């Protein structure tokens, strides 16, 4: 078995997650579905309870004590989110429901203003549906077209030899995933964004699988937008962050209309607030940012470079052992993979793998992982996926491998 970085007490951190201490179908829970959603530490659960027990009130509206407290906590979370990704200012942080809404916001608001017939929206063949469908929708509305940077095959890496040819003068935006949720590919977003930017192309990075797993610096990446979800980084569901470069946000029309995004309203005309408030119509999720604040503090107290090392070590350990089995097809890069493994057992449907693994207490995900076009390109309907986080252990990987071997035996019998 591998030994993990001992400068962090991983076993103690695991005890911060009450949910992990339980049995499923009579077996100790092995939670390997972290790419779908992460578990929540006690400090996040406590922050939510504290907010609802002591401070709950609407934000930005009241002058009373509770409203002041809740507004202060809400805006403190915005400042914390800016620090989490090294944004220049909290005004560049828009709270959303998650990555999906962040990308929809950019596609709808930026896209409607900036795209016209003949323009090209450049994506990659690795994208999650959240970074495909909103662009297809705005393409249909504006007459723009969608083009793709190709992937090379089962390794799920991008063919960047094609990039210069694809970055034509028609391309207005390049939107790409940082870490692929179905392959574990880590895209060189800094290099790709620099190449797009030198041609005046706006860039968006989907950070759903990266923000909570490795240090993120949006200024170093050099993108124009970066979106992530709170629930994948130990925070609550229903909250996410869209970061946008200030100059671009200032020039963008609102996404939705309603209360709190206005300076003044007449019966015929409305004047909007500046960013970020013009993009946050209506009563926002208030407890979400407060829980997310606690999650960001929690992760940064560990250190995301250490989390990244831990995730990668577990994934490499799992990949090597799975790869040594017979009758298995492995997906994703062999080197520099993020903290997940994606695979198919010969003649066994991915859903059967997940169902039987569940009987062994191991929570996996099986399906197209919301990357249906990629699955079709690779000639499969689905894969089984184990995705790791810092509270997972090498011993759990051993349980997982044993369960997979048993499944193979079961189907061979
Ligand atoms: N991937 C998975 O199991 P939301 O649902 O908005 O929080 O995140 C959407 C999303 C966008 N981009 C990437 C790369 C993602 O992985 C996800 C969510 C989950 O892989 C659910 S399909």
């Amino acid at each position: 078995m591998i030994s993990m970085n001992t400068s962090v007490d991983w076993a103690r951190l695991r005890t911060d997650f009450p949910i992990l201490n339980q049995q499923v179908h009579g077996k100790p829970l092995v939670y390997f579905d972290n790419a779908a959603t992460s578990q929540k530490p006690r400090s996040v659960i406590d922050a939510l309870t504290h907010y609802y027990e002591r401070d709950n009130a609407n934000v930005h509206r009241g002058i009373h004590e509770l409203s002041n407290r809740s507004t202060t906590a809400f805006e403190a979370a915005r400042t914390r989110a800016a620090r989490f990704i090294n944004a220049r200012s909290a005004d560049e942080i828009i709270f959303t429901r998650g990555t999906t809404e962040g990308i929809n916001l950019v596609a709808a608001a930026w896209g409607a203003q900036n795209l016209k017939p003949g323009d090209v929206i450049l994506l990659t063949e690795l994208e999650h549906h959240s970074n495909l469908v909103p662009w297809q929708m705005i393409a249909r509305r504006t007459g723009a077209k969608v083009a793709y940077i190709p992937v090379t095959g089962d390794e799920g890496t991008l063919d960047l030899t094609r990039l210069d040819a694809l970055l034509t003068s028609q391309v207005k935006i390049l939107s790409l995933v940082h870490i692929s949720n179905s392959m574990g590919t880590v895209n060189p977003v800094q290099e790709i964004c620099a190449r797009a930017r030198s041609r005046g192309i706006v860039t968006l990075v989907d950070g759903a699988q990266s923000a909570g797993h490795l240090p993120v610096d949006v200024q170093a990446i050099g993108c124009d937008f970066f979106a992530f979800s709170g629930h994948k980084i130990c925070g609550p569901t229903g909250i996410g962050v869209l970061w946008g470069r200030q100059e671009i946000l200032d020039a963008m029309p609102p996404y939705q209309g309603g209360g709190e995004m206005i300076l003044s309203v007449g019966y015929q005309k409305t004047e909007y607030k500046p960013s970020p408030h013009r993009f946050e119509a209506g009563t926002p999720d208030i407890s979400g940012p407060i829980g997310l604040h606690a999650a960001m503090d929690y992760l940064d107290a560990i250190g995301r470079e250490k989390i990244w090392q831990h995730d990668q070590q577990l994934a490499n350990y799992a990949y090597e052992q799975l790869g040594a089995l017979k009758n298995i097809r492995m997906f994703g890069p062999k080197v520099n993979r993020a903290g997940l493994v994606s695979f198919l057992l010969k003649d066994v449907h991915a859903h059967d793998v997940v169902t039987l693994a569940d009987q062994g207490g191991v929570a996996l995900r099986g399906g197209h992982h919301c990357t249906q076009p990629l699955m079709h390109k690779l000639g499969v309907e689905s894969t089984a996926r184990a995705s790791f986080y810092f509270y997972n252990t090498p011993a759990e990987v051993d349980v997982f491998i044993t369960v997979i071997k048993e499944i193979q035996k079961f189907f061979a019998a």
Side-chain angles (χ1 to χ4, degrees), residues 33-37 97-103 126-131 177-182 206-210 228-232 239 340 365 369-371 385 387:
D33 197 16
N34 294 288
T37 198
R97 283 194 296 121
T99 310
T100 303
E101 190 179 43
I103 299 172
L126 279 176
E127 300 310 315
H128 187 278
H129 297 167
S130 297
N131 200 25
V177 72
H178 196 172
I179 290 180
S180 156
N181 65 315
S182 55
D206 170 351
Q209 299 294 345
S210 63
F228 66 96
S229 303
H231 71 98
K232 293 191 199 288
I239 185 68
L340 64 90
R365 183 171 176 200
H369 313 295
C370 298
T371 55
R385 180 187 75 185
S387 51

Side-chain angles (χ1 to χ4, degrees), residues 20 51 220 230 302 334:
L20 296 176
Y51 168 71
I302 305 169
K334 293 193 176 69

Side-chain angles (χ1 to χ4, degrees), residues 96-308:
T96 61
R97 283 194 296 121
T99 310
T100 303
E101 190 179 43
I103 299 172
N104 272 278
L105 191 161
V106 178
W110 182 91
Q113 189 181 45
N114 291 285
L115 295 172
K116 58 179 190 322
D119 285 347
V120 172
I121 300 160
L122 187 59
L123 309 175
T124 84
E125 287 180 344
L126 279 176
E127 300 310 315
H128 187 278
H129 297 167
S130 297
N131 200 25
L132 287 171
V133 184
W135 297 113
Q136 291 174 356
M137 286 163 66
I138 196 66
R140 212 163 294 132
R141 270 175 57 198
T142 59
K145 287 189 287 230
V146 184
Y148 295 91
I149 303 172
V151 290
T152 50
D154 281 7
E155 287 212 21
T157 47
L158 294 178
D159 181 1
L160 293 179
T161 59
R162 300 279 303 281
L163 186 60
D164 283 332
L166 285 164
L167 291 174
T168 62
S169 58
Q170 281 82 45
V171 178
K172 293 292 174 296
I173 187 159
L174 164 62
S175 187
L176 83 164
V177 72
H178 196 172
I179 290 180
S180 156
N181 65 315
S182 55
M183 300 282 118
T185 319
V186 187
N187 283 327
V189 285
Q190 190 163 343
E191 177 205 328
I192 296 174
C193 289
R195 283 162 77 175
R197 210 171 157 69
S198 69
R199 291 162 167 86
I201 297 166
V202 169
T203 52
L204 184 153
V205 173
D206 170 351
Q209 299 294 345
S210 63
H213 292 264
L214 47 75
V216 167
D217 179 336
V218 289
Q219 296 186 63
I221 292 173
C223 52
D224 296 296
F225 296 103
F226 186 93
F228 66 96
S229 303
H231 71 98
K232 293 191 199 288
I233 70 161
C234 293
T237 46
I239 185 68
V241 167
L242 172 70
W243 169 81
R245 203 180 277 279
Q246 188 78 58
E247 316 79 89
I248 298 195
L249 293 182
D250 286 345
M252 244 163 76
Y255 171 49
Q256 293 178 329
E260 277 313 298
M261 46 80 73
I262 56 90
L263 283 174
S264 68
V265 182
Y267 281 119
Q268 300 300 334
K269 197 166 158 272
T270 293
E271 219 187 319
Y272 310 123
K273 275 186 180 159
S275 158
H277 301 290
R278 78 161 58 174
F279 300 108
E280 295 176 357
T283 298
D285 177 1
I286 303 166
S287 62
I290 290 167
L292 180 61
H293 190 157
M296 294 186 286
D297 282 351
Y298 184 87
L299 292 179
D300 282 346
I302 305 169
R304 273 176 284 163
E305 52 301 303
K306 290 188 181 133
I307 292 175
W308 181 234

Side-chain angles (χ1 to χ4, degrees), residues 17 19-20 31 34 37-41 231 233-235 389 391:
F17 293 78
I19 201 169
L20 296 176
Y31 185 77
N34 294 288
T37 198
S38 69
Q39 298 302 348
K40 322 302 171 200
H231 71 98
I233 70 161
C234 293
Y389 215 1
Y391 40 69

